Amino acid sequence: MAGSLPPAADRPLAQAPPNAGSAWLDRGIQHITQGQLEPAIAAFQQAIALDPSLTPAHYNLGLAYRQTGQLQPAINAFYQATLTDPTFALASSNLGAALLEGGNLEQAAYFLQKAIGLEPNLAIAHYNLGLVQQQQGQWPGAIRSLQQAIRLSPKAPEPFYQLGLSYQQQGQTLEALRAFQQAIALNPAYAEAFYGVGSIYYQQGNLPEALSAFLRSTQLDPTYAHAYAGGGLVFMAQGRYGDAVTLFQYAQDLYQQQGHSTWETWARQQGQQARSLAQQG
């Protein structure tokens, strides 16, 4: 994440006082700082073998696994860190984030709430709890969690963007627009936030502003299929059917490349409709 909400793997590495496994722990941390993840994992495992109660070894092992994309081993390592030190808020927070990534929403919420109970000012835990609540359809709770993340980390654009999405689901379009605009103010290259702005202007019937936002989104991320589709809808509403055909074709091709078959079918149907209207004109 940008701003002051770094991903788990970028959080400070935990240290430990000297003990039987501390030399291997230090060696693993040195490997991490040099970008040598596999040797780091081996070193942390050796540290744990020598001292199973060495919380920093479990925690840093979890971070290393996350960086190598090994989600379940990361979950196991973070969980062990919470067992060896139940008061270690970052371990619970990272465990919750990993469980969220794995789709285990109930357990993710439990450990994120635990992390917040241990460290109420841990912005990343509030943010990830908001994401969990979004997926659970608990929109008022998501809004509260994201507002807390913003209060604690006001320069990070992602909580504003996610807050905008949550407001949209609640039908609070003015609040959603403001949240998306704040995300853009913090990150002017935030393609998804421009799409959010465009979707609200389209809903309000402000077609020129909607088109401007959608096209800006495609400029920032040429692979963002939804933005092309949004532009196509604006062109349809403006009667510019030839332009709509072009954008729906872009969207269809991207949806196909990205494996989104339902959206691909939708874009194809929209393109066919636009092409038919263009021929009638």
Side-chain angles (χ1 to χ4, degrees):
M1 273 173 248
S4 51
L5 283 177
D10 291 335
R11 300 308 290 255
L13 301 174
Q15 302 283 348
N19 58 42
S22 63
W24 282 100
L25 172 62
D26 292 342
R27 191 175 303 179
I29 291 173
Q30 184 176 4
H31 285 308
I32 287 288
T33 60
Q34 297 172 349
Q36 301 169 345
L37 294 175
E38 292 302 329
I41 288 171
F44 294 140
Q45 290 172 331
Q46 184 62 33
I48 292 166
L50 292 168
D51 184 356
S53 67
L54 194 58
T55 300
H58 291 290
Y59 177 74
N60 287 313
L61 178 61
L63 295 181
Y65 277 136
R66 282 296 298 275
Q67 286 185 272
T68 57
Q70 300 180 66
L71 185 59
Q72 189 56 53
I75 289 172
N76 295 341
F78 288 136
Y79 180 64
Q80 289 300 317
T82 67
L83 294 180
T84 55
D85 184 359
T87 68
F88 189 15
L90 275 177
S92 291
S93 178
N94 278 281
L95 176 55
L99 288 164
L100 166 61
E101 185 178 341
N104 191 336
L105 301 182
E106 184 176 349
Q107 286 295 307
Y110 171 81
F111 283 103
L112 290 167
Q113 289 167 340
K114 178 182 177 182
I116 291 168
L118 292 168
E119 192 174 330
N121 291 333
L122 192 57
I124 189 67
H126 289 284
Y127 174 75
N128 282 322
L129 180 58
L131 299 186
V132 170
Q133 291 164 326
Q134 283 180 334
Q135 293 193 33
Q136 293 175 326
Q138 299 177 10
W139 300 108
I143 288 170
R144 288 192 296 270
S145 294
L146 293 166
Q147 287 173 333
Q148 277 290 88
I150 289 169
R151 182 182 67 82
L152 295 166
S153 188
K155 294 183 179 180
E158 290 83 1
F160 284 102
Y161 171 68
Q162 296 295 338
L163 181 62
L165 294 180
S166 299
Y167 277 136
Q168 269 192 307
Q169 291 293 327
Q170 290 290 94
Q172 297 174 255
T173 55
L174 180 59
E175 292 85 350
L177 180 61
R178 288 173 177 167
F180 289 140
Q181 289 171 334
Q182 185 60 42
I184 291 168
L186 291 166
N187 178 10
Y190 207 150
E192 293 87 350
F194 274 103
Y195 175 81
V197 168
S199 67
I200 291 175
Y201 281 137
Y202 178 77
Q203 181 181 353
Q204 294 175 339
N206 188 341
L207 299 181
E209 291 293 338
L211 182 61
S212 176
F214 286 139
L215 294 182
R216 182 58 179 154
S217 182
T218 65
Q219 291 169 354
L220 293 168
D221 183 359
T223 68
Y224 194 14
H226 282 347
Y228 291 101
L233 290 174
V234 173
F235 282 142
M236 287 283 283
Q238 292 177 329
R240 298 168 59 181
Y241 302 121
D243 291 330
V245 169
T246 299
L247 289 194
F248 284 132
Q249 186 64 56
Y250 280 139
Q252 179 185 332
D253 291 343
L254 287 169
Y255 286 135
Q256 182 182 36
Q257 294 168 16
Q258 296 162 6
H260 302 306
S261 58
T262 300
W263 283 109
E264 178 192 350
T265 300
W266 175 86
R268 181 185 301 110
Q269 292 171 345
Q270 293 295 317
Q272 290 171 347
Q273 181 181 358
R275 190 172 293 107
S276 175
L277 290 169
Q279 291 171 352
Q280 293 175 19

